[in-house]
Amino acid sequence: DIQMTQSPSTLSASVGDRVTITCRASESISSWLAWYQQKPGKAPNLLIYKASTLESGVPSRFSGSRSGTEFTLTISSLQPDDFATYYCQEYNSDFRTFGQGTKVEIK
Amino acid sequence: EVLLLESGGGLVQPGGSLSLSCEASRFAFGTYALSWVRQAPGKGLQWVSAISDDGRNTYYADSVRGRFTISRDNSKNTLFLQMSSLGPEDTAVYYCARHSTAFHFDSWGQGTLVTVSS
């Protein structure tokens, strides 16, 4: 099975900071990777798919990139609404593995 | 806007069974694959099971294979998850999610809580 290793598990940042979250796949998944944002008590919300395609309606401060089996979610200027937990997910396999999540906290 | 509404969660004793439903609306239900994803209290997301648009192909996480059965009724726009031999480790919020045409999950329900406890 594909393993998705996401880091860091927690990130403390301030409004306006540039934030980077990384997800590494245990084998090639091409660009079949999505990023989701989840706020407490709510369902996840799609941010990015196919590694770097921004979902409609998602602010342009969110971006995604790929280098081999390493994927990055970047928030260019953190906003108050962005404090949440972020998950990567591969969809190359039938098992749709998620990363462990990164909680972005207020510094 | 796509609507997915889960139901059927509740308290069940260890070893018991429970059936979840996900009623869909505002899209062509029978043309999309669907998944169940769960989240234990304070934990991350775990994919549980998926089913193809026509229901012919099903997939399961190792942790639930043989105990859970996913199915769908395209005439009723409803997805199901039949769960048996439940243990405390199955305690979670269960979400249904729609697979986009590009295979990622583009819509999620609000979730239903399953608690396995004596």
Side-chain angles (χ1 to χ4, degrees):
Chain A
D1 295 1
I2 298 172
Q3 307 300 318
M4 303 300 295
T5 303
Q6 188 173 340
S7 62
S9 56
T10 306
L11 188 160
S12 296
S14 301
V15 172
D17 283 354
R18 182 181 181 88
V19 166
T20 299
I21 299 168
T22 298
C23 198
R24 180 175 285 110
S26 60
E27 60 186 81
S28 175
I29 58 169
S30 187
S31 292
W32 303 119
L33 183 111
W35 291 97
Y36 302 90
Q37 177 193 67
Q38 188 180 34
K39 296 182 178 179
K42 300 294 186 181
N45 183 51
L46 175 67
L47 297 175
I48 286 169
Y49 61 95
K50 209 173 179 183
S52 61
T53 302
L54 199 66
E55 171 72 345
S56 176
V58 174
S60 59
R61 63 180 179 273
F62 291 92
S63 63
S65 64
R66 170 199 171 193
S67 177
T69 59
E70 186 168 294
F71 299 83
T72 300
L73 173 70
T74 299
I75 309 173
S76 60
S77 178
L78 198 66
Q79 298 302 301
D81 191 48
D82 302 337
F83 291 97
T85 301
Y86 295 84
Y87 294 92
C88 63
Q89 182 203 25
E90 65 84 14
Y91 51 100
N92 183 70
S93 76
D94 291 332
F95 302 103
R96 317 288 190 189
T97 307
F98 288 92
Q100 301 93 325
T102 297
K103 185 176 182 179
V104 177
E105 298 180 329
I106 300 173
K107 190 172 184 179
Chain B
E1 182 184 351
V2 169
L3 194 61
L4 297 166
L5 188 62
E6 301 94 337
S7 61
L11 177 63
V12 59
Q13 290 191 339
S17 299
L18 201 62
S19 183
L20 305 182
S21 299
C22 173
E23 188 172 342
S25 58
R26 303 180 188 173
F27 69 98
F29 183 78
T31 64
Y32 288 87
L34 297 159
S35 274
W36 288 98
V37 176
R38 68 184 180 184
Q39 186 169 38
K43 303 297 184 182
L45 301 170
Q46 181 190 23
W47 174 81
V48 172
S49 183
I51 189 167
S52 60
D53 55 0
D54 60 4
R56 292 181 180 180
N57 298 301
T58 58
Y59 309 89
Y60 298 94
D62 290 344
S63 58
V64 306
R65 187 176 293 112
R67 301 188 299 122
F68 289 13
T69 301
I70 190 171
S71 62
R72 64 191 294 162
D73 184 340
N74 285 351
S75 69
K76 296 183 178 179
N77 290 357
T78 304
L79 172 71
F80 303 99
L81 186 68
Q82 177 66 42
M83 306 183 293
S84 63
S85 302
L86 287 164
E89 68 278 7
D90 298 313
T91 293
V93 174
Y94 284 73
Y95 297 100
C96 61
R98 188 182 80 166
H99 297 209
S100 76
T101 53
F103 310 117
H104 55 275
F105 296 173
D106 65 352
S107 298
W108 297 67
Q110 87 293 342
T112 188
L113 176 62
V114 173
T115 303
V116 184
S117 175
S118 55

